[in-house]
Structures are given as structure tokens and as C-alpha cells.
Amino acid sequence: MTLRTVLALPVFAVVCLAQGGLFQGAKVSTVRLAFTREQWRGLEPHGSGNGGVNFGRGEWLQGPPGKRNGLASAMGIEFNTVHASLTFDDREFHDVAVRYKGNGTYLEGMGAGKFSFKVDLHEFVKGQNLAGSTKLNLHSNITDPSWMNEPLSYRLYRDAGVPAPRTGYTRLYLTVAREYEKRYAGLYSVVENVDDRFTARSFANKGGALFKPVSTSLFRYLGEDWAKYNQTYDPKGSPTVEQKQRVIDFTKLVTQASDAEFAARLGQYLDLEEFARYMAVMVFLSDMDGILGPGQNFYLYLDPKTQKFSFVPWDQDHSFGQFPMIGSQQQRNNLSIHKPWVGRKRFFERVFAVDAFKKPYLARLEEFSRTIFEPQRFADQVDEVATVIRPAVEESRLDRFERAVAGTSRSMVPIKPFVKLRSKSIIDQLAGRSQGERIEDGSR
């Protein structure tokens, strides 16, 4: 199926064609989580969140060795896993593992009393799954008044030929024994977990190594001892000695190779066409809460046959230029397509100087500007999704939701007006009528 064929289909036809029964775009499912009092209290994280974080210095978003990475973890917050029961529509699971999830979203959720959850069906009952998935990510969308940034961003990546998680929507109800019964927690996104099942479905060659890096200096050489890389690259599973060495060898190339050697050998380590598509979408979305900014919110997949790395997007709640911590709104609207990253990042500086990457990257920006970046296409998607999820939006957030859908929100530029501004900026930059805007130090 060609890109033009996909674009000709209605929004939800594409969703249903591309996704399994768990991730339905045209309906809102119902999830019920039930806890005993002890289980619910056991969810409360360890740590006060008052740990010292050297913002902007070194690897400030990395957690303690062996722990998860991210802002909350770096602040000393550790999540606990508890037993619970789960009902997904009419499917019942009497013993699942549940914990809070997120970093910035968890911290913001503390004020609103609405948290994201990770549910593991397999941890306590081996083989337990739902439509082939063993883990569910229930995202609160606490930072996103439209509830659409992640679903529409991931869909955009997939339309661009980049592997990305599938999504759905659910009404979440919470029960705590002897305290409350089926209390409505609100509308949530169900986001596909990036794991071995995801890579087996998304890549031609399965069985490769999966990493979730967090680094302000991606692919910086740290020596030959993997222990110095493990926290930074956060492998999901147990990579082989050879796979670990492949990471180290790539860092050595990025850090030490001459310009000529780097250009000649880059394609041996990086799937340049996939990376061109990945970067074209990320730059269009002005996603400054990820690899372009603090160096987080993505996965790396090392193909077991080609030995090349591919990128997978993650945590897109601040996409569509909605990360106010980095740059001004004008800078995010007009983000440079030639230097979209913040400050100094040697990996990007070197890759963007290689014609074998830069030419397909600019070609994809040109192609997508005529197709999947078209503003009316996003407007149609927003309106169609809004029709589906509006009845499930919490009443306390309904006014914000309607303003986000209409594109009239004052707190941030919503999807509809943003894509008009961003599309024009990219077209003008491609035509040489504008240089775009660079964000040099991340400050507003």
C-alpha cells in the first residue's frame, strides 16, 4: 500500500487497518482497576522528590545506577509495583502488576490527582495477555488538554514509515476496597508498549537489541567498559557482548573519527533512510522534550542482521511545539530544519554534515510537506477524534478540551494553528525564503 493510498482513506479506516483490536481509534474502551487498601497505599512511591538535580549539567536526567531514568527518578522518586485486578471491557484479569509511570507527567499529576499507570499482565501470571500485549500503558494526558498529541504524533510517524506505538482511548475507573467503588478517574490513552513484541511486529528482522537512552551527549565514547554505558543506554533485556560492543564502536566513530571516515562509515551503523524519516517528523513536530532537547523519550533498535540502529519515538505529550521549557513559542513554530537541536550536540552536528543523511532528510521534508504535513489533514483528524472522545472527557477539563479542539486555547498554541504555522515555516525554509530559528541554550 502506497503513501497516497493511505492518505486517501478516512482517519479511522487507517487506524483500524493498521492496528489490532486492542488499539481501536473509533471507540473508547473501559478499564477498571481494583485494589485492596493495602495495595493502593503500596503504590505510593519511595522518596520525597527533593533529591538534588543539577539541571542542565551532565546527565542530569539519569536515575541511580540500575534504576529507571527520567526527572522523577533523578529527584529520588522510586515507583512501587503492587498486585491488583483488571477488567478491560469484558475481559477480567484477577492478578496483574500495577505501578505509577512517567516523570514530568507524574510530577504534574501530583497536583491534579491524576496519574499514569503501567500494567503488566504477565509479571505475576506467566503468559497472561490481552490481544497479544502483556503490558498496558495508561497515559493520563495531564499535560495535554486535547488528549491527542500522542495519538496523532505516533500516527504521523507511522504514516511516514517510522515504527511507532499504536494507541487507543479508555475510560478508567478505580476501586479501592472499603473506600470507593468504580470511581471515574477520567479519559486515558492506551499506548502500546515498546518491547520485543513491538520490535517483532515493526521491524523486518526480529531478535535485535532494544535500548532506551537518556543522554545529553548521545553516542559519546566513554571507553571500552560497558558498565559506563549501561545506565545511559538502559537496555531492555539482556544484550549480547557483540551488541554492547556495537554501541561502543558507534560511540567511538561519532567521537573520534575524522569527517571523511565518519561520512564513509555512518551508513554502516545508522539506517539513514529511517533516520531521515524519523527526524523529518520530529522536526516538524518541534518536539523539544526529546532527543533534540534533554536527550530522552526515544528507543534505539539494533537490527540483528544489518547491525544498524533505528529510532522509535516515545512520550509525545509535548509534541506539536508544546514544550514551554525550551525556547519561545515563536522559536518552536519556526524551528530551524538545518539546526533543530538545542545547544551543542556532536552527534547531530556530525550527522547533519553528511550528504547521505541530509539529502534524504530534506527530500522527506519536501515530500511530507505535500502530503502528511498538510494542515487540513490534521484539522480533520482533530475533529474526528474529538467526536469519539468528547463524551468521555472529564467535566472539569471540558472547557480546556473544547478550546484545544477549536484551536483557540490561550495557554498554548493548539494543534490546528500550530501545524499551519509550522508547515509554512518548513516550506519557506526549503525554498530558501527563511532560515528558521535556532534555540541555542534552551532558555525562553
Side-chain angles (χ1 to χ4, degrees):
M1 181 171 290
T2 66
L3 177 60
R4 290 192 180 277
T5 303
V6 170
L7 293 177
L9 293 171
V11 171
F12 292 129
V14 175
V15 172
C16 294
L17 178 148
Q19 301 180 355
L22 178 60
F23 305 107
Q24 293 282 346
K27 62 168 285 189
V28 179
S29 62
T30 298
V31 169
R32 295 182 176 89
L33 285 173
F35 305 85
T36 66
R37 281 182 177 178
E38 292 73 20
Q39 290 166 347
W40 181 249
R41 291 168 183 166
L43 271 178
E44 187 69 23
H46 292 308
S48 64
N50 294 321
V53 177
N54 292 320
F55 290 98
R57 296 184 179 182
E59 301 299 3
W60 59 279
L61 284 178
Q62 289 187 12
K67 303 293 184 181
R68 68 189 193 95
N69 289 324
L71 179 59
S73 182
M75 294 173 66
I77 297 173
E78 296 182 23
F79 294 147
N80 300 315
T81 298
V82 302
H83 292 258
S85 64
L86 166 78
T87 302
F88 193 104
D89 286 340
D90 59 351
R91 290 285 307 277
E92 295 184 1
F93 301 89
H94 298 291
D95 192 9
V96 300
V98 180
R99 67 165 174 84
Y100 291 132
K101 72 179 302 293
N103 284 288
T105 50
Y106 172 78
L107 296 172
E108 291 202 39
M110 291 175 68
K114 184 178 181 181
F115 300 101
S116 298
F117 297 92
K118 181 177 281 289
V119 180
D120 191 330
L121 305 173
H122 172 79
E123 183 167 341
F124 299 141
V125 181
K126 303 308 178 188
Q128 190 167 240
N129 70 86
L130 180 63
S133 295
T134 59
K135 293 182 180 179
L136 304 178
N137 296 291
L138 304 178
H139 287 189
S140 68
N141 294 287
I142 194 68
T143 64
D144 175 15
S146 75
W147 276 267
M148 298 184 204
N149 286 357
E150 284 204 312
L152 295 190
S153 293
Y154 289 139
R155 184 193 168 197
L156 184 63
Y157 277 107
R158 293 194 302 273
D159 287 347
V162 178
R166 300 172 294 180
T167 64
Y169 287 102
T170 192
R171 293 177 174 89
L172 178 64
Y173 294 86
L174 299 175
T175 292
V176 177
R178 300 191 305 277
E179 292 192 13
Y180 46 82
E181 180 80 12
K182 297 179 183 178
R183 187 176 72 183
Y184 188 47
L187 176 66
Y188 277 66
S189 298
V190 184
V191 181
E192 182 179 16
N193 205 55
V194 178
D195 53 21
D196 289 346
R197 287 173 174 78
F198 172 88
T199 58
R201 180 184 62 78
S202 303
F203 293 95
N205 301 315
K206 62 181 180 180
L210 185 65
F211 305 89
K212 191 183 182 186
V214 171
S215 176
T216 55
S217 302
L218 186 64
F219 296 123
R220 180 167 63 96
Y221 182 59
L222 303 173
E224 295 296 317
D225 182 2
W226 175 254
K228 296 180 179 179
Y229 296 85
N230 192 70
Q231 189 67 29
T232 293
Y233 290 88
D234 190 13
K236 302 305 177 183
S238 302
T240 65
V241 172
E242 292 76 17
Q243 289 167 334
K244 295 174 182 177
Q245 190 61 49
R246 190 65 173 171
V247 175
I248 294 173
D249 289 346
F250 192 25
T251 67
K252 193 181 301 184
L253 180 75
V254 171
T255 304
Q256 299 180 351
S258 67
D259 290 344
E261 181 187 6
F262 182 78
R265 297 181 59 202
L266 177 62
Q268 299 172 15
Y269 288 89
L270 192 61
D271 185 331
L272 293 173
E273 176 60 30
E274 193 268 356
F275 192 56
R277 293 171 178 272
Y278 171 84
M279 287 302 301
V281 175
M282 175 162 293
V283 170
F284 173 79
L285 293 171
S286 290
D287 176 16
M288 306 313 298
D289 190 28
I291 194 173
L292 298 176
Q296 61 176 352
N297 294 332
F298 66 98
Y299 287 85
L300 282 176
Y301 181 67
L302 177 58
D303 189 287
K305 292 187 178 180
T306 68
Q307 291 294 291
K308 295 181 181 181
F309 292 97
S310 295
F311 285 70
V312 176
W314 185 246
D315 199 1
Q316 295 291 292
D317 60 318
H318 288 296
S319 59
F320 293 100
Q322 293 180 16
F323 189 59
M325 300 300 292
I326 292 182
S328 66
Q329 186 66 58
Q330 178 175 311
Q331 286 175 315
R332 296 191 296 274
N333 294 345
N334 298 302
L335 185 67
S336 168
I337 64 174
H338 299 289
K339 199 258 181 197
W341 58 92
V342 177
R344 293 293 308 275
K345 286 184 169 50
R346 184 165 176 78
F347 171 66
F348 282 125
E349 291 164 359
R350 303 208 75 181
V351 170
F352 269 64
V354 175
D355 282 347
F357 163 75
K358 194 68 178 293
K359 287 182 178 179
Y361 162 71
L362 293 176
R364 296 293 77 74
L365 281 174
E366 261 192 74
E367 175 194 359
F368 297 160
S369 291
R370 298 190 303 271
T371 54
I372 59 176
F373 291 169
E374 209 281 320
Q376 187 57 48
R377 187 166 178 266
F378 287 100
D380 292 342
Q381 291 175 24
V382 168
D383 290 343
E384 289 187 53
V385 175
T387 299
V388 173
I389 68 175
R390 183 176 282 111
V393 172
E394 302 97 280
E395 187 171 342
S396 62
R397 296 179 65 184
L398 190 57
D399 286 345
R400 291 179 64 209
F401 170 77
E402 296 295 3
R403 289 195 298 271
V405 170
T408 58
S409 175
R410 296 179 180 179
S411 59
M412 63 180 67
V413 177
I415 293 173
K416 289 179 181 178
F418 172 80
V419 295
K420 286 183 180 179
L421 296 168
R422 189 72 187 123
S423 180
K424 183 180 186 304
S425 175
I426 288 178
I427 290 171
D428 286 346
Q429 290 183 60
L430 289 168
R433 294 189 293 267
S434 169
Q435 295 299 310
E437 297 195 36
R438 300 181 175 186
I439 304 175
E440 297 299 339
D441 61 3
S443 60
R444 297 189 62 185

